[in-house]
């Protein structure tokens, strides 16, 4: 892969549509962490969404249109990073498949795929980041499905969290089982999703942690929303917010004073 | 759930009623933990599991790409051994063929577990003609007493709690002089054995399924844990095997490879307790065996799947691992799927057999979490195949109009960044205002699917892009 910039250190951040709308703090945490490691971060303003809603609803044509837009938007970065396993899984695993009959675009999609990283993976593998923060709390961790199974995100967040001063990780039972989010699945089949997410919140409760962390905002919104509906206590943060020491705002779905 | 007229088209209602069934919840929770852990240990204990998995995939892919050849070989061998092979395109044809062989004389028919016979609706057909059908697999026996279809490909009565089984036996068995209500598993198993043993000895025909058909030897293979399969086919005069066409594998050796995956993936056993090979009728010097041996081969749409983007599903060896690891199956059980097969493999296969228009929800009711594909011993990319069905449904205009409209609007917006950021800024602000300092919304416009079961965390107020722009100015 040719270096796209002189220092080969320019990162395009894919904020993701959910972080952009619901939780900008996660985006800023990602910027802070990547910059800490000495990389230059840019957030192209033309970005919107990665296309999963269309792709997983069967609309391959719209998904391909969005994929083309993303490919163009992130053409000139050495690395593309997002604080989400499912968006990165979409780019790395599925974009190339969208262009089976278009050699040029397929090549571009493959090129994008190989310089694209899920945030914690990027921080561990490429940045070799030394985490420098304190969080005096007991946390538990939910392994989001696409990150775990499409990208092998499992140890990366744990390695990073183990460097956080004061943090204790209590693993929950079935941390690898789906929380019932599944994108449009959770609104199309709310009652099935409800059973899945309440099993998740039950396991979270049993883990006796003050915080539940994860790497995908979709799952975290789902889990936080369900905890609130059940009047639960556990607070929800994206792992990036903790690693960057940016936990001063209320947790996801939490009241502000 | 009304099992009489359940159908794949009524998936949503059936799932809803399954979710309200507390017995089902208890039964499924119990089963899940057992299956998942046992499989994990069995797989971890076999260093070469991945290598065998790769080999198995090759075996099945090869067999599928020469399916006609191996099926004909199989037929030739069965005939050489003195047996008969019958071909059926449709379940009705298969049913008629079996009824012909059974004839009118036979009173009692023994059955080993066969999902293909479920496709055929065989029990009902036999009973309509006055035959008594005795299911000999313990799980099948239980659901026969309950007048229910199987809810799992390897554990047909997995939806029943032990209490429910006690009640069923206590209701049925006094007529054999067994009056005590038993509650312990070994006692229940023994009692069923006692009742069934009598029937084994007095039956005219035995019908079993097949896990594999071996082209090299003309054998059919079944695995069981109760030995009921052996007895069902050795004791009666006539043995009929019902099987679908993709079950054929080239050699005995290939079968051994697949068997190493099957038990481990299904129940976490290295091997099932009994693996029974049936090769033709009883020969002159054999001590036992049936006088007639028939194999009824059913296509039921599978030959059309060959060469299509769905071919991978025909590698399935019906181990049930994908069901056991599916959180949707774990929530609703098998009956809600509305047809013979359930869970991930069912949601791929059912639309191919009965039509996507009759089973639209099956491939959609999945979070695409991918756990099934990770445990499938045959490396079937189940989530990809479910997504393929969604592509087809969209192309064929089966997608509901609300989703279609939503997608259209969404696609328009996300390819127009300026418009998109304007609207998201508005939405972020509006939702934050609605939420005030509460942090969540109990109800939100256009989001009832979300808020019916969970609160909606409210946005921080300004989008990332807004804040980023401000910060960089
Ligand atoms: S799809 Fe795979 S895991 Fe599921 S039953 Fe078939 S072989 Fe087993």
């Amino acid at each position: 892969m040719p270096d796209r910039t002189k220092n080969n250190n320019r990162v395009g951040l894919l904020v993701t549509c959910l972080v952009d709308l619901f939780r900008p703090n996660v985006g800023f945490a990602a910027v802070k962490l990547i910059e800490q490691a000495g990389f230059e971060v840019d957030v192209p303003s033309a970005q919107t969404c990665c296309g999963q809603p269309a792709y997983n609803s069967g609309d391959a044509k719209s998904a391909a249109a969005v994929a083309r837009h993303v490919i163009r938007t992130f053409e000139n970065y050495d690395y593309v990073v997002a604080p989400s396993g499912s968006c990165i899984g979409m780019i790395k695993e599925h974009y190339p498949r969208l262009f089976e009959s278009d050699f040029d675009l397929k090549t571009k999609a493959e090129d994008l795929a190989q310089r694209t990283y899920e945030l914690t993976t990027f921080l561990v593998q490429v940045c070799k980041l030394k985490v420098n923060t304190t969080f005096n709390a007991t946390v538990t961790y939910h392994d989001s499905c696409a990150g775990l199974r499409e990208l092998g995100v499992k140890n990366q967040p744990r390695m990073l969290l183990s460097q956080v001063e004061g943090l204790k990780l209590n693993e929950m039972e079935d941390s690898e089982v789906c929380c019932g989010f599944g994108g449009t699945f959770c609104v199309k089949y709310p009652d099935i999703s409800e059973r899945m997410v309440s099993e998740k919140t039950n396991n979270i409760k049993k883990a006796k942690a003050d915080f539940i962390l994860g790497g995908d905002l979709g799952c975290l919104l789902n889990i936080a929303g369900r905890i609130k509906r059940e009047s639960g206590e556990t607070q929800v943060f994206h792992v990036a917010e903790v690693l960057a020491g940016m936990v001063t705002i209320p947790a996801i779905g939490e009241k502000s004073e | 759930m009304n099992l009489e007229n359940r159908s794949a088209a009524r998936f949503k209602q059936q799932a809803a009623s399954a979710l309200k069934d507390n017995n089902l919840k208890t039964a499924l929770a119990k089963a899940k933990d057992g299956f998942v852990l046992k499989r994990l240990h069995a797989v971890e204990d076999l260093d070469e599991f991945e290598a065998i998995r790769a080999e198995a995939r090759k075996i099945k892919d090869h067999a599928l790409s020469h399916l006609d050849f191996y099926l004909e070989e199989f037929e030739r061998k069965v005939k050489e051994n003195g047996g008969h092979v019958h071909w059926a395109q449709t379940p009705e044809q298969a049913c008629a063929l079996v009824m012909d062989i059974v004839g009118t004389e036979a009173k009692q028919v023994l059955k080993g577990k066969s999902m293909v016979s479920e496709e055929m609706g065989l029990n009902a057909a036999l009973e309509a003609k006055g035959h008594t059908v005795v299911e000999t697999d313990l799980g099948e026996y239980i659901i026969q007493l309950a007048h229910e279809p199987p809810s799992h490909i390897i554990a047909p009565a997995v939806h029943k709690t032990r209490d429910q089984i006690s009640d069923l036996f206590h209701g049925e068995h006094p007529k054999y002089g067994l009056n005590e209500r038993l509650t312990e598993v070994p006692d229940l198993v023994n009692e069923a054995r006692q009742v069934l043993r009598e029937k084994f000895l007095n039956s005219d025909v035995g019908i079993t399924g097949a896990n594999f058909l071996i082209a090299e030897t003309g054998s059919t293979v079944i695995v069981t844990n109760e030995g009921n399969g052996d007895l069902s086919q050795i004791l009666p005069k006539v043995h009929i095997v019902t099987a679908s066409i993709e079950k054929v594998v080239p050699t005995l050796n290939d079968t051994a490879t697949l068997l190493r995956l099957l038990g481990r993936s299904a129940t976490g056993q290295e091997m099932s307790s009994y693996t029974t090979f049936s090769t033709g009728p009883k020969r002159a010097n054999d001590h036992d065996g049936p006088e007639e041996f028939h194999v009824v081969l059913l296509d039921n749409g599978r030959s059309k799947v060959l060469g299509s983007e769905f071919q991978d599903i025909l590698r399935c060896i019906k181990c049930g691992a994908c069901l056991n690891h599916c959180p949707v199956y774990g929530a609703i059980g098998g009956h809600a799927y509305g047809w013979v097969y359930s869970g991930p493999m069912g949601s791929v296969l059912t639309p191919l057999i009965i039509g996507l228009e009759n089973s639209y929800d099956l491939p959609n009711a999945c979070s695409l979490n991918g756990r099934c594909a990770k445990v499938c011993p045959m490396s079937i990319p189940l989530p990809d195949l479910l997504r393929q069905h969604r592509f087809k449904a969209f192309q064929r205009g089966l997608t509901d109009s609300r989703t279609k409209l939503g997608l259209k609007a969404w696609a328009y917006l996300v390819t127009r960044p300026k418009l998109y950021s304007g609207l998201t800024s508005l939405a972020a602000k509006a939702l934050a205002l609605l939420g005030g300092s509460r942090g969540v919304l109990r109800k939100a416009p256009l989001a009832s699917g979300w808020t019916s079961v969970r609160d909606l965390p409210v946005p921080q107020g300004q989008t990332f892009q807004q804040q980023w722009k401000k910060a960089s100015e």
Side-chain angles (χ1 to χ4, degrees):
Chain A
M1 175 178 72
D3 292 356
R4 283 178 156 76
T5 62
K6 209 167 86 227
N7 300 325
N8 190 30
N9 73 345
R10 195 149 170 268
V11 175
L13 183 71
L14 177 80
V15 188
T16 78
C17 60
L18 289 177
V19 167
D20 180 50
L21 180 62
F22 283 94
R23 193 77 180 168
N25 197 48
V26 174
F28 286 104
V31 173
K32 183 171 165 189
L33 288 164
I34 300 168
E35 283 181 347
Q36 254 175 32
F39 288 77
E40 189 191 306
V41 183
D42 186 27
V43 188
S45 64
Q47 63 177 293
T48 55
C49 168
C50 69
Q52 282 182 88
Y55 188 62
N56 292 333
S57 300
D59 184 356
K61 215 169 125 210
S62 300
V66 179
R68 274 197 298 276
H69 178 75
V70 173
I71 291 171
R72 219 179 306 122
T73 308
F74 288 93
E75 215 156 23
N76 295 319
Y77 297 96
D78 300 306
Y79 301 98
V80 178
V81 177
S84 157
S86 74
C87 308
I88 297 300
M90 176 72 192
I91 294 177
K92 287 178 89 78
E93 283 281 308
H94 302 283
Y95 275 15
R97 298 190 204 172
L98 281 168
F99 303 111
E100 284 307 343
S101 52
D102 186 330
F103 180 75
D104 184 41
L105 272 167
K106 191 175 162 74
T107 313
K108 285 187 172 155
E110 279 166 351
D111 168 65
L112 173 64
Q114 57 128 343
R115 58 195 159 88
T116 293
Y117 291 83
E118 181 274 336
L119 178 66
T120 61
T121 311
F122 185 72
L123 295 176
V124 169
Q125 273 181 14
V126 183
C127 301
K128 318 243 182 306
L129 181 78
K130 293 272 167 292
V131 179
N132 179 17
T133 189
T134 304
F135 191 50
N136 285 312
T138 306
V139 307
T140 191
Y141 200 86
H142 167 63
D143 296 293
S144 289
C145 300
L148 176 71
R149 300 197 182 86
E150 288 184 338
L151 307 170
V153 178
K154 176 77 190 180
N155 292 329
Q156 299 87 322
R158 288 170 175 78
M159 272 173 70
L160 294 166
L161 287 170
S162 71
Q163 302 171 44
V164 175
E165 199 78 37
L167 182 142
K168 179 166 177 273
L169 178 66
N170 277 3
E171 293 286 0
M172 68 169 123
E173 212 179 291
D174 285 344
S175 72
E176 296 186 357
V177 175
C178 178
C179 71
F181 173 62
T184 52
F185 166 78
C186 72
V187 292
K188 280 196 190 148
Y189 300 92
D191 48 356
I192 300 174
S193 170
E194 174 182 23
R195 172 67 62 80
M196 289 160 72
V197 69
S198 39
E199 296 206 343
K200 182 59 66 182
T201 52
N202 197 22
N203 284 326
I204 291 171
K205 236 183 277 163
K206 286 194 288 182
K208 303 216 181 314
D210 311 312
F211 294 89
I212 155 86
L213 311 180
D216 264 82
L217 190 59
C219 312
L220 297 176
L221 289 169
N222 179 41
I223 292 170
R226 183 65 195 181
I227 290 177
K228 289 290 141 201
R229 182 62 55 96
E230 294 170 349
S231 310
E233 302 275 302
T234 321
Q235 306 216 351
V236 184
F237 277 108
H238 190 285
V239 63
E241 297 177 287
V242 171
L243 294 173
M246 291 172 60
V247 286
T248 43
I249 68 164
I252 299 168
E254 208 53 48
K255 290 196 235 359
S256 47
E257 298 306 324
Chain B
M1 185 186 322
N2 184 347
L3 291 171
E4 286 285 295
N5 48 27
R6 71 176 186 139
S7 81
R10 272 195 293 276
F11 172 83
K12 273 193 176 172
Q13 295 95 303
Q14 286 153 192
S17 81
L19 285 163
K20 290 191 197 100
D21 182 342
N22 282 326
N23 280 323
L24 181 63
K25 191 174 174 189
T26 313
L28 289 174
K30 189 139 193 252
K32 185 198 76 180
D33 290 345
F35 278 135
V36 169
L37 285 178
K38 283 187 197 145
R39 176 200 165 272
L40 185 68
H41 293 147
V43 169
E44 279 175 356
D45 285 349
L46 184 67
D47 289 342
E48 61 271 39
F49 188 83
E50 284 308 321
I52 301 173
R53 202 181 193 181
E55 180 63 28
R57 178 186 178 146
K58 266 196 237 148
I59 291 171
K60 268 297 219 178
D61 279 344
H62 171 82
L64 289 170
S65 51
H66 303 88
L67 193 64
D68 48 352
F69 171 77
Y70 286 114
L71 282 169
E72 278 167 16
E73 270 303 291
F74 173 76
E75 179 181 36
R76 199 170 63 76
K77 273 288 170 189
V78 172
K79 282 188 181 152
E80 228 176 80
N81 301 331
H84 309 271
V85 174
H86 313 264
W87 302 84
Q89 288 261 295
T90 65
E92 294 76 25
Q93 285 168 3
C95 212
L97 285 166
V98 174
M99 301 299 289
D100 258 4
I101 304 165
V102 172
T104 47
E105 302 279 286
K107 280 193 208 72
Q108 189 157 279
V109 177
L110 288 182
K111 272 196 67 219
K113 207 171 79 59
S114 159
M115 294 309 287
V116 166
S117 80
E118 295 292 327
E119 286 183 42
M120 294 156 54
L122 186 57
N123 286 11
L126 286 164
E127 278 163 3
K129 281 274 176 332
H131 305 286
T132 309
V133 179
V134 181
E135 289 286 358
T136 61
D137 171 274
L138 179 60
E140 292 282 351
Y141 175 70
I142 292 167
I143 58 171
Q144 194 186 20
L145 292 183
H147 305 288
E148 288 173 6
S151 70
H152 187 293
I153 46 178
I154 66 155
V158 72
H159 58 286
K160 291 263 177 258
T161 62
R162 193 170 17 143
D163 248 5
Q164 289 176 305
I165 296 168
S166 289
D167 287 345
L168 273 173
F169 282 13
H170 192 52
E172 185 72 17
H173 290 170
K175 72 176 180 217
Y176 306 107
L178 303 162
N179 295 311
E180 201 188 333
R181 183 178 184 276
L182 303 172
T183 52
E184 294 304 314
V185 175
D187 297 338
L188 290 164
V189 173
N190 269 337
E191 187 171 285
R193 282 229 167 104
Q194 228 174 307
V195 171
L196 285 171
R197 187 148 311 143
E198 266 310 293
K199 307 194 176 189
F200 277 124
L201 298 171
N202 297 314
S203 295
D204 310 291
V205 179
I207 301 178
T208 65
N211 289 87
F212 305 104
L213 308 169
I214 309 176
E216 180 186 31
T217 59
S219 314
T220 69
V221 185
I222 55 173
V223 298
T224 70
N225 277 319
E226 295 149 26
N228 61 299
D230 295 36
L231 296 178
S232 307
Q233 58 185 275
I234 284 174
L235 297 175
K237 278 206 210 89
V238 179
H239 177 200
I240 306 172
V241 178
T242 53
S244 47
I245 53 170
E246 86 287 4
K247 291 276 168 70
V248 73
V249 293
T251 67
L252 198 55
N253 252 337
D254 295 336
T255 313
T257 304
L258 295 168
L259 280 169
R260 297 187 74 191
L261 296 178
L262 179 58
R264 288 180 169 88
S265 302
T267 48
Q269 291 166 287
E270 288 177 8
M271 287 285 275
S272 306
S273 309
Y274 298 84
T275 303
T276 311
F277 292 75
S278 311
T279 312
K282 179 175 168 179
R283 291 163 303 187
N285 299 326
D286 288 348
H287 291 297
D288 48 26
E291 285 165 24
E292 285 179 36
F293 177 73
H294 299 268
V295 184
V296 175
L297 290 175
L298 174 63
D299 179 352
N300 206 9
R302 289 168 174 86
S303 54
K304 282 210 211 88
V305 178
L306 280 177
S308 78
E309 53 275 70
F310 294 101
Q311 176 168 315
D312 288 346
I313 193 61
L314 298 181
R315 282 204 299 272
C316 176
I317 55 172
K318 311 283 184 312
C319 72
C322 58
L323 284 69
N324 300 337
H325 290 77
C326 172
V328 173
Y329 180 92
I332 62 175
H335 287 154
Y337 291 77
W339 200 62
V340 178
Y341 302 101
S342 56
M345 59 75 63
S347 293
V348 174
L349 191 58
T350 302
L352 296 170
I353 297 184
I354 69 168
L356 189 53
E357 65 283 7
N358 301 314
S359 52
Y360 170 76
D361 278 310
L362 300 189
N364 280 288
C366 165
S367 64
L368 300 177
N369 62 79
R371 207 171 170 221
C372 50
K374 288 283 169 197
V375 297
C376 174
M378 301 307 292
S379 314
I380 300 172
L382 294 153
D384 290 338
L385 297 181
L386 293 171
R387 208 185 277 105
Q388 277 299 336
H389 275 312
R390 298 183 189 185
F391 290 147
K392 294 266 168 218
F394 192 86
Q395 282 161 13
R396 289 178 51 192
L398 297 171
T399 310
D400 60 283
S401 48
R402 222 177 115 192
T403 305
K404 261 193 294 198
L405 200 71
L407 282 171
K408 221 170 163 184
W410 170 88
Y412 185 86
L413 275 179
V414 295
T415 46
R416 287 166 179 77
K418 289 229 170 73
L419 183 60
Y420 178 87
S421 70
L423 277 172
T424 47
S425 307
L426 274 177
K429 190 165 176 194
L431 286 170
L433 279 174
L434 273 175
S437 62
R438 276 167 303 166
V440 289
L441 290 167
R442 290 259 138 162
K443 279 212 174 98
L446 302 174
S448 62
W450 181 279
T451 54
S452 62
V453 301
R454 71 218 115 199
D455 292 352
L456 179 67
V458 296
Q460 284 178 254
Q462 280 193 330
T463 64
F464 179 91
Q465 291 288 7
Q466 281 178 299
Q467 297 186 36
W468 180 257
K469 204 165 148 207
K470 223 179 281 164
S472 27
E473 267 163 19

